[in-house]
Amino acid sequence: MEATREIYWNVGHGVLVPMYLLALAALGVMAYGFARRLKVYRLGRPLVRTDNLSARIAAALRSSIMQTRVLRVRAPGGVHSLFFWSFLMLFAGTVLVFVQADIAAPLFDKRFLSGNFYRYFSLVLDLAGLLALVMLGALFVRRYLMRPGGLESDRDDAIMHGLLFAIVLSGFIIEGLRMAATELPAGSALANWSPVGLTVAKLFSAASEPSLRMWHAVAWWGHLTLTLGFIVAIPFTKLRHLFAVPANYLLADRGPKGCLSTLDLEDESVESFGAAALGDLSWKDIFDTDACIECKRCQDRCPAHRTEKPLSPMRLVDDLHRVAFADPQQGLAEAAGKDALWSCTTCRACQEICPASVEHVGKIVEMRRNLVLMEGEFPGEEVTAAIDNVEVNGNPLGMAFAARGDWARELGVKTLDEDPDVDVLYFVGCYASFDKRNIRVAKSLIEICRHAGVRIGILGQEEKCCGEPVRKMGNEYLYQMSAAGNIETIKAYGIERVVTSCPHCFNTLNKDYRDLGFDAEVEHYTAFLDRLLREGRLKLKPESFSATYHDSCYLGRYNDLYEAPRNLLGAAGASLREMDASGAESFCCGAGGGRILAEEKLGRRISKERARMAGETGADTLVSNCPFCLTMFEDGVKGASLEEGLSTVDLSEIIASRLTN
Amino acid sequence: MKILVCLKQIPDMESKFRINEEGIWYDEANLAWRINEYDEYAVEQAVQVKEQLGGAEVVALSLGPARVKEAIKKALAMGCDRGVHINDEEGWRRDPFEIASLIAGYAKEEGFDLVFTGMQSQDRGSAQVGVLLAGMLGLPAMTTVVDFALEDGAVRVKRELEGGMKACVKCNLPAVVTCQLGLNTPRYPTLPNIMKAKRKEMQTIEAADLAAAGSRLVTDRLAFPEKKGGGLVLEGEAADLAGKLATILRDKIKVL
Amino acid sequence: MKILLVGEYREGQLQGCTCELLGFARQMKAEPVMFLVGDAADLPAFDGRLYLAEAGRYGEFSPEVHQQLVLEVVEKESPDLVVLSHSSYGWDLAPRLAAALEAAQISEAVAVADGAFEVPACNAKLRRTVRPATARGVVTLQAGAFDPAPAGGTPEVQTVDSAVEAAGAVEFLGYEAAEQAGVDLGKAEVIVSAGRGIGKPENIGMIADLAKALGGEYGASRPVVDAGWADHDRQVGSTGQTVAPRLYMACGISGAVQHLMGMKKSDFIVAVNSDRDAPIGEVADVLVVADLKEFVPAFMTTIQG
């Protein structure tokens, strides 16, 4: 007998018209559902995310099919991926059936679903279906029996689980009933190529053929109904993520990571800056809220959430979703909660891990921008004072601007004003210029550069705050003024290369400043020194010590700079004991997002939490690469009572102590 | 209702001061300038009165060289309606009586109902201009105000006295009020207000065109105070210092 | 040189600064003549003339009325210098007198020599030497800058009976006490105070612990109280409490005049400040130049060890 099965066996070709009509109707309802949602997306401001379309499509296909972002969290990600691939297979199978039944056969008299192809086709689909069922079972167990903390389940989840399970199961029931009627009695060899179907068929072996046929028809229509129900449910439930997530991959931000939008503050036609109401968000922001599948991966990694502050990135997206789809008149800051908004450290852990490519950080900064620029509101008087200090003296610490270069006097470092002929400009930053602990970092860097024969100069009192913390707090105006000043000064000296010891300065000069016309090359000292090391211009004599290395948010997640600092540490003789949360999973020190300017009044101290993680490695040195991290850890280590066994050091200080000829 | 706020631009107090060539005032180079802290409270209170009344004209005035316009602009950004700059290249030379007379020279014709000033400036700290100005304008003055209320054409204030005590005082409009720290929380200007401030009217009057009184004070010199403390200065490592101080306290004053 | 002193009386009591005025007159070797709106039951003890205006009649605070009364005495006595305390009463009244007398006013004098007065400038970082260019001068004295004269003697009292109206445009309505929350720093033998140099509110604990370890109380400077890091009842200074314990340790306090006024009479003053030039060094017996965040824990360890 030929290895094939009759399409529309038992139900007859008469089902074609009603089936396609119903399918069309279902698709129509689905389209209508999406159209209604499209209307809500359109309430947002315009934004171009369709440039480089072919690259975007390729990236979206790759991410969707390979499930790359889903797999970032191995266990549940793996289960979802396997389910996804098996469902994809089943879908492909249905498409092939459709192609043969409605195109190839009637028009070209071609039947490819036969022979060996059909045997393998049957086997693969059967196994795929079984895998899908098993994975569904695992997902069900995780969500409803294991109940991971923070994972909330609602009507949509129940619908998804129920519908998918019923669809796959009913598929096997149809197969089983049919095989029981057509292949079991005949002892068909083909049956072995559908092992699951065969097993199910055996359950029905006792029934009579008319009975089997009746139930088969019922099951067939039931399966069709469930499937059409599935299609209809897509836009109205979380099932929309089938479209929304790949779409979000397509529409992702391809710009430099962590670069905020530069507002045109001179634009007279703009009445309001930042995001106060739904219409102030971009359409992409609103679309993000629909793409969120509430997997809580962002929440799990959020340093604010982990220390009991009112911020959860997932909740925030959910709050915005509610405003968009249920209460569009509500103010955004009121919906999200101001304490939640101010708690963000812009560490990007949420955005990095999000499998749906939701962009959390930009929304928070936009809402902050509105509070600051339009309401003059800050999270506390100490922040207002720090902002005032940046305005008056060019640094948040309130130190006299004229004293900014004083730390360098005794080292004989020249300012560009005294001698503009340098290899590279060292943009020192506020903390390394004025804070006692961080001045040691600046001095270390100078020592290292001198040793390596690099002619380095500083701006001294001509340098102003890079503007990053005030920008992240929402004060776009002060940031632009501060930045413009720095850019003009640096350009006037004809500087082409800049090195910084602060990842915030680095990120800002290297990305944010580009929008304002800055084009010098910028490097963070870790990349700079790593290069000198590899070129042989930096010679180190290793001295062994145990260390744990903290990947700062602005060097790590923002700039993917993980290797260079570790090379340097290795060359210095460190035996590295990594924290569990390291690399892209690193846990913030708590000072980002302008929070270095603010007091931490809510929840537990983020720096203490991170210090504890460092302590757990058993290393005796906590190495960081950022003045904010260093400042936070000095406090955090003491706060966690670890100062006996754990010293806090900047990487530059270690390098400086290992210099050799 | 017409309100006048007098403010002074002073150097940030964290600056490293140097004595000028003449030896009688600080060198103005390399200083960061800001509004006198006491005057910030004055500006804020004036704007709050304007908001309370649902409308009033608030004039922000300052005396000094061109740079003081930045301070006036900040007051405009906080909500004042227009600025008056009494231009005086060497405003620092004027003593309080001269300054008050220059301001009075301008304000006399304007018919202000309420005048706010800071109670003193952070650089010179004479605490005179407000009260002198009131006298010249023939208005009652209430100083050192930490609480302010305007009701039915009368002003009720609380003056801050020594030892945490307050005195409740009242007078009718028109009046002059000098503000103490803590009177209110000066607002941070919103961006639209900063932008609007750039276009608000700024009138410049040459000090020479206003009849000023002659100076009444002579400054002999400005200098850093001599370290006559006679105290012991200890420097070094924290642990050593701790030991030294403990010994001193034990021996000298029998504490410990 | 003839000097007219304007004494202070408030809440039914003669104010302590009045004795400092007498001390100033003594230093100037001038015959003390004083005007006081006060009460015969509470007079300063000195040998000299006292023009007494009854507070019950003319009001404890009534600037325009007091101004008139002083001017009447000036008519009679023709002093070269009218001297007040640089207090909430003095700095309110002095400019009015100076204007009426067409005299120069010198505010907050801390020293006098050869007719020139030294006054602080720029948060006490600098000192200015000024002198009146007018025949007469009005001077206000920084509280605590001049030692009070030793009490002794009986003034020759002349009761002031003036035709001036007993009410001015500025009307005094009454006093309001600060909410006293219970800590009387005046009773403490040892006070350790926190200034802005502590950096953040969490570090108050370090200061409070040290105070306790030394058997005393912790205090705070005005900026720290204004920032909400300590309650008002901990504030030491002209607008807080004035204290004179056996040991006063000022941590991270720069030494603004208002704070110094509240503690400079302490028996022994230790200042911990990373700035060698901080004005607190003027009054400190020992200045520890260090970061208090390093020193205080080290000191705690030393005294507890």
Side-chain angles (χ1 to χ4, degrees):
Chain A
M1 186 179 172
E2 205 194 346
T4 190
R5 289 193 181 91
E6 183 195 337
I7 299 173
Y8 302 127
W9 169 85
N10 187 47
V11 291
H13 283 260
V15 302
L16 261 156
V17 171
M19 182 179 82
Y20 279 115
L21 279 179
L22 285 172
L24 230 63
L27 286 169
V29 175
M30 183 182 90
Y32 164 74
F34 275 122
R36 264 182 42 181
R37 300 196 95 72
L38 196 68
K39 258 172 82 177
V40 178
Y41 308 150
R42 284 193 146 142
L43 293 173
R45 285 183 301 104
L47 183 67
V48 178
R49 285 290 176 88
T50 43
D51 54 309
N52 270 317
L53 206 48
S54 45
R56 286 178 174 277
I57 292 174
L61 281 174
R62 219 179 7 250
S63 292
S64 309
I65 295 177
M66 304 298 287
Q67 295 275 283
T68 17
R69 297 190 75 100
V70 176
L71 285 169
R72 290 247 179 95
V73 181
R74 288 284 166 73
V79 174
H80 177 277
S81 305
L82 287 172
F83 171 75
F84 171 74
W85 290 320
S86 52
F87 207 75
L88 208 55
M89 293 272 186
L90 293 169
F91 180 70
T94 311
V95 170
L96 286 175
V97 169
F98 156 76
V99 166
Q100 175 172 301
D102 301 314
I103 302 173
L107 297 179
F108 306 108
D109 204 22
K110 278 268 190 225
R111 283 170 185 74
F112 49 84
L113 291 172
S114 58
N116 270 337
F117 176 74
Y118 185 71
R119 288 188 183 94
Y120 288 115
F121 174 83
S122 306
L123 180 62
V124 165
L125 289 189
D126 246 35
L127 294 178
L130 180 63
L131 187 60
L133 270 181
V134 172
M135 290 302 117
L136 271 175
L139 290 169
F140 177 88
V141 164
R142 175 178 181 257
R143 179 175 283 279
Y144 292 105
L145 299 179
M146 287 168 60
R147 298 184 169 273
L151 188 67
E152 283 168 32
S153 305
D154 60 8
R155 174 207 76 154
D156 274 16
D157 297 295
I159 290 176
M160 278 171 42
H161 279 262
L163 212 45
L164 289 166
F165 189 78
I167 289 172
V168 182
L169 189 64
S170 58
F172 279 127
I173 290 174
I174 294 171
E175 191 186 18
L177 287 167
R178 173 179 179 155
M179 287 170 73
T182 59
E183 288 162 47
L184 268 190
S188 160
L190 186 57
N192 294 320
W193 290 94
S194 302
V196 182
L198 183 57
T199 314
V200 176
K202 288 196 177 137
L203 294 174
F204 299 129
S205 54
S208 66
E209 189 180 314
S211 180
L212 288 171
R213 278 179 175 266
M214 186 199 76
W215 283 114
H216 174 268
V218 168
W220 194 94
W221 283 101
H223 182 87
L224 177 68
T225 311
L226 287 168
T227 311
L228 295 179
F230 175 85
I231 291 174
V232 160
I234 290 177
F236 301 100
T237 64
K238 224 202 284 193
L239 283 170
R240 71 181 82 94
H241 84 271
L242 291 182
F243 290 99
V245 173
N248 231 19
Y249 292 159
L250 184 80
L251 303 163
D253 184 358
R254 291 177 65 85
K257 241 203 282 190
C259 195
L260 295 174
S261 63
T262 304
L263 298 183
D264 181 3
L265 300 172
E266 304 285 316
D267 190 346
E268 311 251 317
S269 65
V270 176
E271 281 177 10
S272 173
F273 294 100
L278 189 65
D280 298 326
L281 295 173
S282 71
W283 62 262
K284 175 63 166 64
D285 286 324
I286 304 178
F287 185 73
D288 269 350
T289 68
D290 238 5
C292 172
I293 31 119
E294 304 201 328
C295 69
K296 82 171 176 74
R297 287 183 185 180
C298 55
Q299 187 175 282
D300 286 344
R301 284 157 184 74
C302 174
H305 184 80
R306 289 267 290 271
T307 52
E308 289 88 56
K309 293 169 180 53
L311 171 67
S312 152
M314 185 172 86
R315 280 290 126 248
L316 185 109
V317 171
D318 188 49
D319 289 330
L320 295 177
H321 188 260
R322 204 174 11 87
V323 171
F325 290 95
D327 191 4
Q329 299 308 318
Q330 195 189 20
L332 299 180
E334 190 200 321
K338 286 183 188 170
D339 281 342
L341 290 181
W342 293 121
S343 294
C344 178
T345 66
T346 69
C347 77
R348 264 189 87 95
C350 48
Q351 247 172 271
E352 278 295 295
I353 201 69
C354 178
S357 267
V358 171
E359 297 163 55
H360 311 73
V361 179
K363 300 176 194 7
I364 291 175
V365 175
E366 281 303 313
M367 287 187 268
R368 285 181 177 183
R369 280 174 172 175
N370 184 270
L371 290 174
V372 169
L373 299 176
M374 303 305 290
E375 309 291 328
E377 258 185 64
F378 290 98
E381 274 183 42
E382 76 282 7
V383 178
T384 316
I387 302 256
D388 189 50
N389 289 335
V390 172
E391 225 174 290
V392 172
N393 267 311
N395 69 83
L397 303 156
M399 310 287 283
F401 81 89
R404 196 172 179 113
D406 285 358
W407 67 270
R409 292 270 156 74
E410 63 182 44
L411 294 179
V413 179
K414 295 223 166 83
T415 63
L416 292 190
D417 182 50
E418 292 162 349
D419 179 7
D421 189 23
V422 294
D423 293 326
V424 67
L425 165 66
Y426 173 26
F427 190 91
V428 188
C430 302
Y431 272 72
S433 300
F434 292 114
D435 175 66
K436 219 177 105 179
R437 179 65 185 89
N438 279 290
I439 288 177
R440 282 153 55 185
V441 173
K443 290 186 174 172
S444 302
L445 190 59
I446 297 294
E447 211 188 312
I448 299 169
C449 285
R450 286 196 167 147
H451 173 90
V454 176
R455 287 176 313 153
I456 193 158
I458 61 171
L459 285 171
Q461 68 180 54
E462 292 191 276
E463 184 186 284
K464 303 264 176 275
C465 179
C466 70
E468 194 264 358
V470 314
R471 184 176 215 209
K472 298 287 163 31
M473 268 290 161
N475 198 334
E476 181 68 4
Y477 179 68
L478 182 56
Y479 154 71
Q480 287 191 15
M481 298 225 314
S482 216
N486 281 328
I487 293 172
E488 201 185 312
T489 308
I490 297 175
K491 271 188 164 160
Y493 284 113
I495 293 293
E496 289 170 5
R497 290 177 62 213
V498 180
V499 70
T500 76
S501 51
C502 170
H504 294 262
C505 294
F506 167 59
N507 193 63
T508 306
L509 266 66
N510 197 34
K511 290 180 190 162
D512 303 61
Y513 275 27
R514 306 298 181 201
D515 273 356
L516 301 171
F518 184 62
D519 41 35
E521 238 180 77
V522 187
E523 271 185 304
H524 183 258
Y525 83 79
T526 48
F528 180 70
L529 295 183
D530 183 52
R531 199 161 33 78
L532 291 180
L533 184 70
R534 283 182 285 114
E535 286 172 3
R537 289 169 68 185
L538 178 64
K539 294 184 184 50
L540 300 178
K541 186 172 96 151
E543 224 179 271
S544 78
F545 68 108
S546 81
T548 183
Y549 176 69
H550 169 81
D551 290 287
S552 63
C553 306
Y554 276 76
L555 216 56
R557 275 186 291 271
Y558 273 80
N559 287 287
D560 299 310
L561 248 161
Y562 302 111
E563 288 307 308
R566 287 178 167 79
N567 286 344
L568 288 165
L569 269 176
S575 71
L576 211 46
R577 298 191 203 179
E578 301 278 9
M579 290 179 263
D580 286 338
S582 65
E585 293 274 1
S586 183
F587 187 83
C588 184
C589 72
R595 292 218 47 95
I596 187 77
L597 309 175
E599 279 167 44
E600 204 173 346
K601 295 183 200 141
L602 303 168
R604 291 179 296 119
R605 317 217 95 204
I606 294 175
S607 58
K608 227 165 102 169
E609 184 67 17
R610 188 53 168 169
R612 205 191 35 79
M613 293 181 194
E616 275 173 4
T617 63
D620 42 48
T621 322
L622 169 54
V623 183
S624 52
N625 52 54
C626 168
F628 292 176
C629 297
L630 187 61
T631 307
M632 298 305 274
F633 291 148
E634 292 269 310
D635 268 346
V637 165
K638 278 190 208 128
S641 306
L642 292 167
E643 64 268 41
E644 292 294 307
L646 187 64
S647 62
T648 52
V649 187
D650 186 273
L651 182 54
S652 63
E653 296 176 301
I654 294 178
I655 304 295
S657 70
R658 305 283 195 270
L659 296 174
T660 188
N661 291 313
Chain B
M1 160 84 75
K2 243 179 132 177
I3 303 175
L4 175 67
V5 183
C6 302
L7 55 109
K8 184 178 184 185
Q9 188 190 55
I10 51 143
D12 180 68
M13 287 295 125
E14 291 304 307
S15 306
K16 294 231 145 110
F17 289 101
R18 278 180 313 202
I19 316 295
N20 71 4
E21 267 182 41
E22 264 178 80
I24 58 171
W25 200 231
Y26 51 73
D27 183 353
E28 299 200 341
N30 280 333
L31 293 177
W33 300 94
R34 57 156 81 241
I35 298 183
N36 177 34
E37 201 180 347
Y38 295 86
D39 299 334
E40 284 183 356
Y41 294 95
V43 173
E44 173 61 25
Q45 198 60 52
V47 176
Q48 281 190 23
V49 169
K50 175 178 159 189
E51 288 172 346
Q52 177 195 338
L53 297 175
E57 191 192 1
V58 184
V59 178
L61 177 150
S62 191
L63 181 145
R67 59 170 163 74
V68 309
K69 285 199 279 210
E70 287 312 304
I72 300 175
K73 280 199 196 124
K74 173 111 193 257
L76 295 176
M78 282 171 74
C80 298
D81 298 300
R82 57 188 179 85
V84 172
H85 167 220
I86 299 182
N87 188 30
D88 188 342
E89 282 308 311
E90 296 196 315
W92 60 268
R93 288 192 191 277
R94 309 264 187 187
D95 72 21
F97 198 80
E98 291 179 85
I99 294 174
S101 69
L102 284 166
I103 300 176
Y106 158 75
K108 249 194 336 257
E109 311 297 318
E110 300 288 321
F112 290 105
D113 301 292
L114 200 46
V115 178
F116 287 99
T117 80
M119 143 201 157
Q120 66 186 39
S121 65
Q122 288 171 281
D123 59 352
R124 196 155 57 178
S126 340
Q128 294 176 35
V129 173
V131 181
L132 291 173
L133 177 63
M136 293 172 190
L137 296 177
L139 302 179
M142 295 188 292
T143 67
T144 329
V145 170
V146 286
D147 196 85
F148 177 95
L150 176 65
E151 252 172 43
D152 309 316
V155 179
R156 244 171 222 273
V157 303
K158 291 186 189 163
R159 300 187 67 235
E160 187 184 66
L161 309 180
E162 287 68 30
M165 208 55 174
K166 294 194 189 120
C168 303
V169 177
K170 131 169 202 265
C171 78
N172 292 327
L173 292 182
V176 173
V177 171
T178 81
C179 307
Q180 168 62 297
L181 306 177
L183 167 60
N184 50 45
T185 304
R187 68 194 59 197
Y188 188 80
T190 64
L191 185 60
N193 283 341
I194 294 175
M195 291 308 181
K196 271 191 229 151
K198 295 187 182 168
R199 279 170 302 195
K200 286 183 178 169
E201 184 194 319
M202 174 83 76
Q203 181 189 1
T204 301
I205 304 173
E206 292 299 318
D209 294 341
L210 290 166
S215 115
R216 293 181 172 184
L217 278 173
V218 174
T219 305
D220 285 348
R221 62 194 274 260
L222 180 75
F224 288 95
E226 279 152 35
K227 300 289 144 111
K228 62 169 163 70
L232 183 63
V233 177
L234 298 178
E235 290 182 76
E237 282 302 310
D240 292 336
L241 296 175
K244 287 194 183 131
L245 182 65
T247 312
I248 294 173
L249 292 184
R250 202 173 291 124
D251 298 342
K252 281 228 160 134
I253 60 168
K254 312 285 188 293
V255 168
L256 289 182
Chain C
M1 130 134 5
K2 217 163 176 216
I3 296 184
L4 174 64
L5 308 172
V6 179
E8 274 184 50
Y9 179 88
R10 199 176 78 220
E11 293 172 80
Q13 275 182 321
L14 183 71
Q15 297 296 296
C17 55
T18 311
C19 303
E20 291 171 24
L21 297 174
L22 290 164
F24 171 79
R26 191 154 169 268
Q27 187 179 323
M28 296 290 279
K29 299 197 177 27
E31 187 202 328
V33 180
M34 184 184 290
F35 165 81
L36 173 70
V37 178
D39 192 281
D42 195 356
L43 295 180
F46 71 102
D47 285 319
R49 270 199 303 289
L50 172 63
Y51 287 87
L52 179 67
E54 268 172 71
R57 179 176 168 193
Y58 296 102
E60 286 184 1
F61 180 77
S62 187
E64 293 116 327
V65 171
H66 290 209
Q67 171 193 337
Q68 283 310 111
L69 297 173
V70 173
L71 289 176
E72 283 174 13
V73 174
V74 168
E75 268 285 320
K76 290 193 195 124
E77 291 284 336
S78 273
D80 303 297
L81 216 52
V82 180
V83 185
L84 302 92
S85 186
H86 195 70
S87 64
S88 58
Y89 176 79
W91 65 54
D92 187 287
L93 184 54
R96 304 171 200 262
L97 297 173
L101 296 172
E102 290 183 6
Q105 179 187 333
I106 289 163
S107 308
E108 210 177 359
V110 296
V112 58
D114 305 322
F117 295 88
E118 253 184 63
V119 299
C122 298
N123 276 11
K125 286 188 174 182
L126 295 163
R127 282 277 172 85
R128 236 170 27 121
T129 310
V130 283
R131 62 178 77 237
T134 51
R136 232 176 219 151
V138 174
V139 185
T140 62
L141 306 181
Q142 187 186 84
F146 294 89
D147 293 325
T154 323
E156 183 200 315
V157 180
Q158 278 200 39
T159 311
V160 167
D161 183 9
S162 167
V164 75
E165 295 194 11
V170 174
E171 194 190 328
F172 172 72
L173 300 173
Y175 292 110
E176 193 181 282
E179 312 87 50
Q180 274 303 344
V183 173
D184 186 357
L185 292 178
K187 300 209 163 61
E189 290 253 298
V190 172
I191 297 178
V192 182
S193 277
R196 240 208 285 246
I198 60 170
K200 41 182 150 118
E202 290 74 37
N203 291 333
I204 291 272
M206 175 192 325
I207 304 296
D209 289 343
L210 178 56
K212 204 144 161 237
L214 292 170
E217 287 289 350
Y218 77 92
S221 66
R222 187 190 178 134
V224 167
V225 172
D226 278 351
W229 300 355
D231 290 333
H232 187 85
D233 61 344
R234 297 277 171 189
Q235 188 171 322
V236 173
S238 59
T239 52
Q241 295 188 53
T242 299
V243 297
R246 273 175 62 209
L247 170 64
Y248 188 90
M249 263 185 87
C251 301
I253 295 178
S254 62
V257 150
Q258 295 86 344
H259 187 79
L260 294 184
M261 272 165 34
M263 42 62 75
K264 63 164 108 172
K265 304 281 179 57
S266 308
D267 289 352
F268 198 82
I269 298 173
V270 175
V272 181
N273 202 304
S274 53
D275 181 2
R276 203 174 298 122
D277 299 322
I280 191 107
E282 284 295 294
V283 303
D285 294 288
V286 178
L287 170 64
V288 177
V289 182
D291 180 350
L292 70 93
K293 296 189 280 281
E294 282 173 20
F295 178 79
V296 172
F299 190 60
M300 276 291 271
T301 312
T302 307
I303 62 179
Q304 283 172 335

Short mmCIF file of all heavy atoms in Angstrom, two decimals, chain B residues 180-196:
data_model
loop_
_atom_site.label_atom_id
_atom_site.label_comp_id
_atom_site.label_asym_id
_atom_site.label_seq_id
_atom_site.Cartn_x
_atom_site.Cartn_y
_atom_site.Cartn_z
N GLN B 180 14.73 85.07 56.43
CA GLN B 180 15.74 84.23 57.07
C GLN B 180 15.70 82.86 56.40
O GLN B 180 14.72 82.48 55.76
CB GLN B 180 15.41 84.15 58.58
CG GLN B 180 16.15 83.12 59.40
CD GLN B 180 17.66 83.33 59.44
OE1 GLN B 180 18.34 83.27 58.41
NE2 GLN B 180 18.19 83.51 60.63
N LEU B 181 16.77 82.10 56.56
CA LEU B 181 16.85 80.76 55.99
C LEU B 181 15.73 79.90 56.56
O LEU B 181 15.41 79.98 57.74
CB LEU B 181 18.18 80.10 56.34
CG LEU B 181 19.46 80.86 56.00
CD1 LEU B 181 20.67 80.08 56.49
CD2 LEU B 181 19.56 81.11 54.51
N GLY B 182 15.16 79.08 55.70
CA GLY B 182 14.14 78.17 56.17
C GLY B 182 12.73 78.72 56.07
O GLY B 182 11.77 78.06 56.47
N LEU B 183 12.58 79.92 55.49
CA LEU B 183 11.25 80.51 55.36
C LEU B 183 10.35 79.64 54.48
O LEU B 183 9.15 79.53 54.70
CB LEU B 183 11.39 81.92 54.76
CG LEU B 183 10.14 82.62 54.24
CD1 LEU B 183 9.12 82.78 55.35
CD2 LEU B 183 10.50 83.99 53.67
N ASN B 184 10.93 79.06 53.45
CA ASN B 184 10.15 78.23 52.53
C ASN B 184 11.12 77.29 51.83
O ASN B 184 12.27 77.21 52.24
CB ASN B 184 9.43 79.12 51.51
CG ASN B 184 10.39 80.12 50.87
OD1 ASN B 184 11.51 79.77 50.47
ND2 ASN B 184 9.98 81.36 50.78
N THR B 185 10.68 76.59 50.81
CA THR B 185 11.60 75.77 50.02
C THR B 185 11.66 76.37 48.62
O THR B 185 10.71 76.24 47.85
CB THR B 185 11.10 74.31 49.92
OG1 THR B 185 10.91 73.81 51.23
CG2 THR B 185 12.12 73.45 49.20
N PRO B 186 12.79 77.04 48.30
CA PRO B 186 12.88 77.66 46.99
C PRO B 186 12.71 76.64 45.88
O PRO B 186 13.31 75.57 45.93
CB PRO B 186 14.30 78.26 46.97
CG PRO B 186 14.66 78.43 48.40
CD PRO B 186 13.99 77.30 49.12
N ARG B 187 11.85 76.94 44.90
CA ARG B 187 11.55 75.97 43.85
C ARG B 187 12.69 75.86 42.85
O ARG B 187 13.46 76.78 42.67
CB ARG B 187 10.28 76.41 43.12
CG ARG B 187 10.47 77.69 42.30
CD ARG B 187 9.15 78.27 41.87
NE ARG B 187 8.33 78.58 43.02
CZ ARG B 187 7.02 78.78 42.95
NH1 ARG B 187 6.40 78.69 41.80
NH2 ARG B 187 6.34 79.05 44.04
N TYR B 188 12.76 74.71 42.21
CA TYR B 188 13.70 74.54 41.13
C TYR B 188 12.98 74.98 39.87
O TYR B 188 11.88 74.51 39.59
CB TYR B 188 14.13 73.08 41.01
CG TYR B 188 15.25 72.89 40.04
CD1 TYR B 188 16.56 73.17 40.41
CD2 TYR B 188 15.01 72.48 38.73
CE1 TYR B 188 17.60 73.03 39.51
CE2 TYR B 188 16.04 72.34 37.83
CZ TYR B 188 17.33 72.62 38.22
OH TYR B 188 18.35 72.50 37.32
N PRO B 189 13.55 75.91 39.08
CA PRO B 189 12.81 76.40 37.92
C PRO B 189 12.53 75.31 36.90
O PRO B 189 13.40 74.49 36.61
CB PRO B 189 13.75 77.45 37.31
CG PRO B 189 14.90 77.59 38.20
CD PRO B 189 14.88 76.50 39.20
N THR B 190 11.30 75.30 36.36
CA THR B 190 10.98 74.33 35.32
C THR B 190 11.55 74.83 34.01
O THR B 190 11.80 76.03 33.84
CB THR B 190 9.46 74.17 35.17
OG1 THR B 190 8.92 75.42 34.73
CG2 THR B 190 8.83 73.78 36.49
N LEU B 191 11.71 73.93 33.07
CA LEU B 191 12.32 74.30 31.79
C LEU B 191 11.52 75.37 31.06
O LEU B 191 12.09 76.35 30.57
CB LEU B 191 12.50 73.05 30.93
CG LEU B 191 13.23 73.31 29.61
CD1 LEU B 191 14.61 73.87 29.86
CD2 LEU B 191 13.33 72.02 28.81
N PRO B 192 10.19 75.24 30.96
CA PRO B 192 9.43 76.30 30.27
C PRO B 192 9.70 77.65 30.92
O PRO B 192 9.81 78.66 30.22
CB PRO B 192 7.98 75.88 30.44
CG PRO B 192 8.01 74.45 30.74
CD PRO B 192 9.30 74.16 31.41
N ASN B 193 9.80 77.68 32.24
CA ASN B 193 10.06 78.95 32.91
C ASN B 193 11.46 79.47 32.65
O ASN B 193 11.68 80.67 32.54
CB ASN B 193 9.81 78.82 34.41
CG ASN B 193 8.32 78.83 34.73
OD1 ASN B 193 7.52 79.28 33.92
ND2 ASN B 193 7.96 78.33 35.88
N ILE B 194 12.42 78.55 32.53
CA ILE B 194 13.79 78.98 32.21
C ILE B 194 13.80 79.60 30.82
O ILE B 194 14.42 80.64 30.59
CB ILE B 194 14.76 77.79 32.26
CG1 ILE B 194 14.89 77.26 33.68
CG2 ILE B 194 16.14 78.19 31.73
CD1 ILE B 194 15.73 76.01 33.80
N MET B 195 13.08 78.97 29.90
CA MET B 195 13.03 79.48 28.53
C MET B 195 12.32 80.83 28.47
O MET B 195 12.76 81.76 27.81
CB MET B 195 12.32 78.48 27.61
CG MET B 195 13.11 77.21 27.39
SD MET B 195 14.80 77.58 26.86
CE MET B 195 15.46 75.95 26.66
N LYS B 196 11.20 80.91 29.20
CA LYS B 196 10.44 82.17 29.21
C LYS B 196 11.28 83.29 29.80
O LYS B 196 11.22 84.43 29.35
CB LYS B 196 9.18 82.01 30.06
CG LYS B 196 7.98 81.51 29.29
CD LYS B 196 6.71 81.63 30.12
CE LYS B 196 5.95 80.31 30.07
NZ LYS B 196 5.16 80.06 31.28
#
